[in-house]
Coordinates of all heavy atoms in Angstrom, one line a residue:
P1233 N 62.6 12.5 -72.6 CA 61.3 12.1 -72.0 C 60.7 13.3 -71.3 O 61.5 14.2 -70.7 CB 61.7 11.0 -70.9 CG 62.9 10.4 -71.6 CD 63.6 11.5 -72.2
I1234 N 59.4 13.5 -71.5 CA 58.7 14.7 -70.9 C 57.6 14.2 -70.0 O 56.8 13.3 -70.4 CB 58.2 15.5 -72.0 CG1 59.3 16.1 -72.8 CG2 57.1 16.6 -71.4 CD1 58.8 16.9 -74.0
K1235 N 57.5 14.6 -68.8 CA 56.3 14.3 -67.9 C 55.2 15.2 -68.4 O 55.3 16.4 -68.6 CB 56.8 14.7 -66.4 CG 55.7 14.1 -65.6 CD 56.1 14.2 -64.0 CE 55.1 13.4 -63.2 NZ 55.5 13.5 -61.8
A1236 N 54.2 14.4 -68.7 CA 53.0 15.1 -69.4 C 51.7 14.4 -69.1 O 51.7 13.5 -68.5 CB 53.2 15.0 -71.0
F1237 N 50.7 15.4 -69.2 CA 49.3 14.9 -69.1 C 48.8 14.5 -70.5 O 49.0 15.1 -71.5 CB 48.4 16.1 -68.6 CG 48.6 16.4 -67.3 CD1 49.5 17.6 -66.9 CD2 48.2 15.6 -66.1 CE1 49.8 18.1 -65.7 CE2 48.5 16.1 -64.8 CZ 49.2 17.2 -64.6
F1238 N 48.0 13.4 -70.6 CA 47.3 12.9 -71.8 C 46.1 13.9 -71.9 O 45.1 13.5 -71.2 CB 47.0 11.5 -71.7 CG 46.6 10.8 -72.9 CD1 46.7 9.3 -72.9 CD2 46.4 11.4 -74.1 CE1 46.3 8.6 -74.0 CE2 46.1 10.7 -75.3 CZ 46.0 9.3 -75.2
T1239 N 46.1 14.9 -72.7 CA 45.0 15.7 -72.7 C 43.9 15.5 -73.7 O 42.7 16.1 -73.6 CB 45.5 17.2 -72.9 OG1 46.4 17.1 -73.9 CG2 46.3 17.6 -71.6
D1240 N 44.2 14.9 -74.8 CA 43.0 14.6 -76.1 C 43.4 13.3 -76.6 O 44.4 13.0 -76.9 CB 43.1 15.8 -76.9 CG 42.6 17.1 -76.4 OD1 41.5 17.3 -76.1 OD2 43.5 18.1 -76.5
L1241 N 42.2 12.7 -76.9 CA 42.3 11.4 -77.7 C 40.9 11.3 -78.6 O 39.9 11.6 -78.1 CB 42.4 10.2 -76.7 CG 42.4 8.8 -77.4 CD1 43.5 8.6 -78.3 CD2 42.1 7.7 -76.2
T1242 N 41.3 11.0 -79.9 CA 40.1 10.9 -80.8 C 40.4 9.6 -81.6 O 41.6 9.3 -81.9 CB 40.1 12.1 -81.8 OG1 40.0 13.2 -81.0 CG2 38.9 11.8 -82.8
M1243 N 39.4 8.8 -81.8 CA 39.6 7.4 -82.4 C 38.5 7.4 -83.5 O 37.3 7.8 -83.3 CB 39.5 6.3 -81.5 CG 40.7 6.3 -80.6 SD 40.9 4.6 -80.0 CE 42.2 4.9 -78.7
R1244 N 38.8 6.7 -84.6 CA 37.9 6.5 -85.7 C 38.2 5.2 -86.2 O 39.3 4.8 -86.6 CB 38.0 7.7 -86.8 CG 37.1 7.6 -87.9 CD 37.2 8.7 -88.7 NE 38.5 8.8 -89.2 CZ 39.0 9.9 -90.0 NH1 38.1 11.0 -90.1 NH2 40.2 9.9 -90.5
I1245 N 37.2 4.3 -86.4 CA 37.2 3.0 -86.9 C 37.2 3.1 -88.4 O 36.2 3.7 -89.0 CB 36.1 2.0 -86.4 CG1 36.2 2.0 -84.8 CG2 36.2 0.7 -87.0 CD1 35.1 1.2 -84.2
G1246 N 38.2 2.3 -89.0 CA 38.2 2.4 -90.5 C 37.1 1.5 -91.1 O 36.5 0.7 -90.5
A1247 N 36.9 1.8 -92.4 CA 35.7 1.0 -93.1 C 36.0 -0.5 -93.0 O 35.1 -1.3 -93.0 CB 35.6 1.6 -94.5
D1248 N 37.1 -0.8 -93.0 CA 37.5 -2.2 -93.1 C 37.4 -3.0 -91.7 O 37.5 -4.1 -91.5 CB 39.0 -2.5 -93.6 CG 40.0 -1.8 -92.7 OD1 39.7 -1.4 -91.6 OD2 41.2 -1.9 -93.2
S1249 N 37.2 -2.2 -90.6 CA 37.0 -2.6 -89.2 C 38.2 -3.2 -88.7 O 38.2 -3.8 -87.6 CB 35.8 -3.5 -89.1 OG 34.6 -2.9 -89.6
E1250 N 39.3 -3.2 -89.4 CA 40.5 -3.8 -88.9 C 41.6 -2.7 -88.7 O 42.7 -3.2 -88.4 CB 41.1 -4.9 -89.8 CG 40.2 -6.1 -89.9 CD 41.0 -7.3 -90.5 OE1 42.3 -7.3 -90.6 OE2 40.2 -8.2 -91.0
S1251 N 41.2 -1.5 -88.8 CA 42.1 -0.3 -88.5 C 41.4 0.7 -87.6 O 40.2 0.9 -87.9 CB 42.7 0.2 -89.9 OG 41.7 0.9 -90.6
I1252 N 42.1 1.2 -86.8 CA 41.5 2.4 -86.0 C 42.5 3.5 -85.9 O 43.7 3.3 -85.6 CB 41.3 1.9 -84.5 CG1 40.4 0.7 -84.5 CG2 40.8 2.9 -83.6 CD1 40.1 -0.1 -83.2
E1253 N 42.1 4.6 -86.5 CA 42.9 5.8 -86.5 C 42.7 6.5 -85.3 O 41.7 6.5 -84.6 CB 42.3 6.7 -87.6 CG 42.5 6.1 -89.1 CD 41.9 6.9 -90.1 OE1 41.8 8.2 -90.0 OE2 41.6 6.4 -91.2
Y1254 N 43.9 7.1 -84.8 CA 43.8 7.9 -83.6 C 44.5 9.1 -83.7 O 45.5 9.2 -84.5 CB 44.3 7.0 -82.3 CG 45.8 6.6 -82.5 CD1 46.8 7.4 -82.0 CD2 46.2 5.4 -83.2 CE1 48.1 7.1 -82.2 CE2 47.4 5.1 -83.2 CZ 48.4 5.9 -82.7 OH 49.8 5.5 -82.9
T1255 N 44.2 10.1 -83.0 CA 44.9 11.4 -82.8 C 45.0 11.6 -81.3 O 44.1 11.2 -80.4 CB 44.1 12.6 -83.5 OG1 43.0 12.7 -82.9 CG2 44.1 12.4 -85.0
F1256 N 46.0 12.4 -81.0 CA 46.4 12.5 -79.5 C 47.0 13.9 -79.2 O 47.5 14.4 -80.1 CB 47.2 11.3 -78.9 CG 48.6 11.3 -79.6 CD1 49.7 12.1 -79.1 CD2 48.9 10.4 -80.6 CE1 50.9 12.1 -79.7 CE2 50.1 10.3 -81.2 CZ 51.0 11.1 -80.8
S1257 N 47.0 14.3 -78.0 CA 47.8 15.3 -77.5 C 48.2 15.2 -76.1 O 47.4 14.6 -75.3 CB 47.2 16.7 -77.8 OG 46.0 16.9 -76.9
F1258 N 49.4 15.7 -75.8 CA 50.0 15.6 -74.4 C 50.4 17.1 -74.1 O 50.9 17.8 -74.9 CB 51.2 14.7 -74.3 CG 50.8 13.3 -74.5 CD1 50.8 12.6 -75.7 CD2 50.6 12.5 -73.4 CE1 50.5 11.3 -75.8 CE2 50.2 11.1 -73.6 CZ 50.3 10.6 -74.7
T1259 N 50.3 17.5 -72.9 CA 50.7 18.9 -72.4 C 51.6 18.5 -71.2 O 51.3 17.9 -70.2 CB 49.5 19.6 -72.0 OG1 48.7 19.7 -73.1 CG2 50.0 21.1 -71.5
E1260 N 52.9 19.2 -71.3 CA 53.8 19.0 -70.3 C 53.3 19.3 -68.9 O 52.6 20.4 -68.7 CB 55.0 19.9 -70.5 CG 56.1 19.9 -69.5 CD 57.4 20.6 -69.8 OE1 57.2 21.7 -70.6 OE2 58.3 20.4 -69.4
D1261 N 53.7 18.5 -67.9 CA 53.4 18.7 -66.4 C 54.6 19.5 -66.0 O 55.6 19.1 -65.8 CB 53.3 17.4 -65.8 CG 52.9 17.6 -64.3 OD1 53.0 18.7 -63.8 OD2 52.8 16.5 -63.6
C1262 N 54.2 20.8 -65.7 CA 55.3 21.7 -65.2 C 55.4 21.8 -63.7 O 56.0 22.8 -63.2 CB 55.2 23.1 -65.8 SG 55.3 23.1 -67.7
T1263 N 55.0 20.9 -63.0 CA 55.0 21.1 -61.5 C 56.2 20.6 -60.8 O 56.5 20.8 -59.7 CB 53.8 20.2 -60.8 OG1 54.0 18.7 -61.3 CG2 52.5 20.7 -61.3
E1264 N 57.1 19.9 -61.6 CA 58.4 19.6 -61.1 C 59.5 20.0 -62.0 O 59.3 20.2 -63.1 CB 58.5 18.0 -60.8 CG 58.5 17.1 -62.0 CD 58.6 15.7 -61.6 OE1 58.0 15.3 -60.7 OE2 59.4 15.0 -62.3
K1265 N 60.7 20.0 -61.5 CA 61.9 20.6 -62.2 C 62.2 19.6 -63.3 O 62.2 18.3 -63.2 CB 63.1 20.6 -61.3 CG 64.2 21.4 -62.0 CD 65.2 21.6 -60.8 CE 66.3 22.5 -61.4 NZ 67.3 22.9 -60.3
R1266 N 62.3 20.1 -64.6 CA 62.4 19.3 -65.7 C 63.7 18.5 -65.8 O 63.9 17.6 -66.6 CB 62.2 20.1 -66.9 CG 62.2 19.3 -68.2 CD 61.6 20.2 -69.3 NE 61.5 19.4 -70.4 CZ 61.6 19.9 -71.7 NH1 61.6 21.1 -71.8 NH2 61.5 19.1 -72.7
S1267 N 64.8 19.1 -65.1 CA 66.1 18.3 -65.2 C 66.2 17.1 -64.4 O 67.2 16.4 -64.5 CB 67.1 19.3 -64.7 OG 67.0 19.7 -63.5
S1268 N 65.2 16.8 -63.6 CA 65.3 15.6 -62.8 C 64.6 14.4 -63.6 O 63.5 14.4 -63.9 CB 64.6 15.7 -61.4 OG 63.2 16.0 -61.6
Y1269 N 65.5 13.5 -64.0 CA 64.9 12.3 -64.7 C 65.2 10.9 -64.0 O 66.3 10.6 -63.9 CB 65.8 12.2 -66.0 CG 65.6 13.4 -67.0 CD1 66.6 14.2 -67.2 CD2 64.3 13.7 -67.5 CE1 66.4 15.3 -68.1 CE2 64.2 14.8 -68.3 CZ 65.2 15.7 -68.6 OH 64.9 16.6 -69.4

């Protein structure tokens, strides 16, 4: 598990209107020590 910010989101509705494509990106939050879970 990685502590992260949700930095990008794109959505596109399919032609059939019953599917929604999505793309995403997350960037690690480096403000705390990574070894603490």
Side-chain angles (χ1 to χ4, degrees):
I1234 295 174
K1235 191 166 187 183
F1237 294 100
F1238 195 169
T1239 50
D1240 290 294
L1241 176 64
T1242 304
M1243 294 202 185
R1244 186 171 55 194
I1245 298 174
D1248 61 5
S1249 298
E1250 289 192 24
S1251 65
I1252 301 173
E1253 297 175 24
Y1254 62 90
T1255 60
F1256 61 84
S1257 71
F1258 291 88
T1259 302
E1260 181 181 18
D1261 178 352
C1262 296
T1263 58
E1264 69 180 42
K1265 195 169 188 177
R1266 191 162 175 206
S1267 63
S1268 59
Y1269 297 113

